[in-house]
Amino acid sequence: MSTQRGPEATRERLLQAAANLFAERGFHGTTARDIAGRGAVNLAAGHYHFGSKKDLYLEVLRAEFSKVRRELSRRRVIRPPAELDRLSRPQLMKLLLTRTEVMMAMLIGPPPSLHSTLMQREMCDPSEALPVIVAEFIQPMMEELEQILQRLAPGIGAEVVESCAFSMVGQALFYRFTMPAWLHIKRRTSYPRDLARTVAAHITEFSLGGLERLAHQHGRQGAK
């Protein structure tokens, strides 16, 4: 083994161990010593490769953010504003549906992605890394969603568009955060494999109906 492969292998073991432990226990419930033990390295190696536990946590999260962005790019649901302006209404609706399908598949699987588990832990017990998570992942994702909704209902204001985006995200997160209860109600041990697509279609259709109603109300108020 070359001298280059040894440190890299150690680094990868630490990343994998950290990702699994943060998903299982959250940031606060995981110690640097836990990560070193799971990765079969000494504690000094962890500090050498990543510095603080927060730095390692951000490294794990950024790797997961990158996976999400790559999948969104592969499905062509990340479009610059100028390209969104050229899309027809049916094309925008299809874009919204596809984007929702991708996110639902990651949220609930089956199985749920590592990203969704890490984010659920973070939302339930926020860490000091939350401002970075919001700035680098949550805010850009929300802005992209709002850009699509704004073009589907150009007459409504930015605050209403933001509320609609939060509503769509909330509907999606319901199926991740309430998974144990949903499975108990349905007497199942896991989500059906096609549930993500079915739920994405429902959320999109339901949200488009609400968006249309809000746009109609705005139009009536503007005509007074």
Side-chain angles (χ1 to χ4, degrees):
M1 181 180 293
S2 71
T3 56
Q4 293 299 317
R5 293 184 63 187
E8 186 60 29
T10 299
R11 188 177 189 280
E12 287 303 313
R13 287 204 308 276
L14 281 167
L15 270 176
Q16 189 60 55
N20 292 335
L21 283 167
F22 287 138
E24 292 170 15
R25 307 176 187 177
F27 177 80
H28 297 295
T30 301
T31 68
R33 191 172 298 278
D34 293 334
I35 295 168
R38 180 75 66 93
V41 301
N42 61 53
L43 194 58
H47 289 304
Y48 172 78
H49 285 283
F50 295 104
S52 70
K53 185 177 75 168
K54 176 185 174 182
D55 292 333
L56 178 52
Y57 184 55
L58 285 172
E59 185 84 9
V60 168
L61 288 171
R62 283 170 173 147
E64 293 304 310
F65 296 164
S66 181
K67 290 178 186 177
V68 174
R69 302 300 293 180
R70 285 199 301 271
E71 180 62 15
L72 291 171
S73 296
R74 187 185 72 81
R75 296 289 297 273
R76 297 205 70 241
V77 293
I78 299 177
R79 307 286 185 91
E83 187 173 341
L84 290 177
D85 289 337
R86 294 193 294 269
L87 297 181
S88 66
R89 182 174 179 81
Q91 288 173 323
L92 287 167
M93 292 168 65
K94 176 62 176 176
L95 183 66
L96 183 64
L97 172 60
T98 303
R99 187 181 180 90
T100 308
E101 285 179 355
V102 172
M103 297 311 299
M104 286 304 307
M106 291 182 178
L107 278 173
I108 67 174
S113 69
L114 177 63
H115 166 264
S116 73
T117 304
L118 288 165
M119 292 299 287
Q120 183 178 20
R121 290 284 189 186
E122 178 67 25
M123 294 303 105
C124 291
D125 188 14
S127 72
E128 58 191 281
L130 181 62
V132 178
I133 295 168
V134 171
E136 295 187 8
F137 183 74
I138 295 176
Q139 195 65 44
M141 293 286 287
M142 291 300 298
E143 289 173 356
E144 289 168 4
L145 177 56
E146 289 169 21
Q147 287 173 3
I148 298 172
L149 296 177
Q150 184 67 72
R151 285 160 177 80
L152 285 165
I156 64 177
E159 289 187 7
V160 178
V161 169
E162 182 183 63
S163 294
C164 291
F166 280 133
S167 176
M168 286 196 71
V169 172
Q171 291 176 73
L173 289 176
F174 169 86
Y175 287 88
R176 181 66 184 92
F177 279 74
T178 66
M179 185 185 297
W182 192 98
L183 294 174
H184 183 77
I185 291 169
K186 296 291 186 178
R187 294 183 172 84
R188 298 185 62 96
T189 57
S190 64
Y191 275 150
R193 296 211 65 83
D194 62 345
L195 184 66
R197 178 171 295 183
T198 302
V199 169
H202 168 77
I203 290 173
T204 303
E205 190 70 18
F206 186 81
S207 300
L208 285 171
L211 197 64
E212 184 176 344
R213 180 177 175 85
L214 288 169
H216 179 66
Q217 289 178 344
H218 181 87
R220 285 191 307 175
Q221 290 170 358
K224 291 180 180 178

